[in-house]
Amino acid sequence: MIVYRDLLSGDEMLSDAYKLFDVVDDAGNKVEGLMYCESKQISKAGGDVDIGCGNSFGGGDEDAGVDNTAEMVNNVIDSFQYTETQIGTAMDFKSWIKEYMNALVLKLRESGTPKEEIQAFKASAPGIATFFLKKFSEVQFYLGPSFNPESMVFSIYPD
């Protein structure tokens, strides 16, 4: 299994346990450096999580009825313990993402990442920033479990 971690916080942000897709812009072009996964609302009650298979694995009482105390949660947000946050205005986001990208470049250099990979990252950074700035009003922002505001703010789109 591949687990994607934020380089600055070390938080687990996503894994290949979820089917991953390329992000494309409004013109249909791939946004280098971005990926997304589909998420869904699931029922979570008393430590049990309905993964969408009903009672296929047994152990449950099919005649027990619906658990009215069950909470509906987003499977990805719940699995990776994201917490929604606010980022302010598009200009605030622009300032944040510039600082974040610069911090990533420093971290990559410190870790001995080859110059070619750092240059490729730097080449993709403006496209990532532009994509999110154009979609800013549609984006929800999340912090990872460390609540590190200097770290990756994860974004998803409402349906």
Side-chain angles (χ1 to χ4, degrees):
M1 176 187 307
I2 298 172
V3 176
Y4 298 93
R5 292 182 178 272
D6 180 87
L7 286 178
L8 301 181
S9 69
D11 288 345
E12 291 183 5
M13 301 308 288
L14 196 57
S15 81
D16 67 350
Y18 299 91
K19 187 171 180 179
L20 302 174
F21 303 93
D22 292 330
V23 172
V24 294
D25 62 18
D26 291 336
N29 301 312
K30 178 181 174 184
V31 180
E32 290 296 329
L34 289 182
M35 62 184 152
Y36 77 95
C37 72
E38 292 181 357
S39 63
K40 63 182 179 179
Q41 292 293 107
I42 58 172
S43 176
K44 180 179 177 181
D48 294 332
V49 176
D50 174 7
I51 60 171
C53 297
N55 194 27
S56 299
F57 298 106
D61 183 0
E62 291 185 33
D63 298 326
V66 176
D67 180 358
N68 291 331
T69 63
E71 175 186 12
M72 295 302 288
V73 297
N74 178 290
N75 62 334
V76 176
I77 292 170
D78 188 65
S79 294
F80 291 96
Q81 302 170 10
Y82 301 154
T83 301
E84 189 168 7
T85 189
Q86 301 299 315
I87 200 141
T89 66
M91 292 307 294
D92 295 332
F93 175 75
K94 184 177 181 179
S95 175
W96 175 87
I97 200 163
K98 183 178 178 181
E99 289 177 26
Y100 179 73
M101 295 294 187
N102 287 333
L104 285 177
V105 169
L106 288 174
K107 189 72 165 181
L108 290 170
R109 285 184 182 140
E110 288 172 6
S111 68
T113 300
K115 285 185 179 185
E116 300 80 31
E117 288 182 37
I118 295 171
Q119 292 301 332
F121 171 74
K122 288 170 75 172
S124 68
I128 293 169
T130 300
F131 176 80
F132 282 120
L133 283 167
K134 285 182 179 178
K135 301 280 188 181
F136 183 78
S137 64
E138 302 171 39
V139 177
Q140 290 177 294
F141 297 94
Y142 294 87
L143 295 175
S146 71
F147 295 101
N148 183 346
E150 304 300 317
S151 188
M152 180 109 179
V153 175
F154 212 74
S155 308
I156 64 169
Y157 300 99
D159 289 331

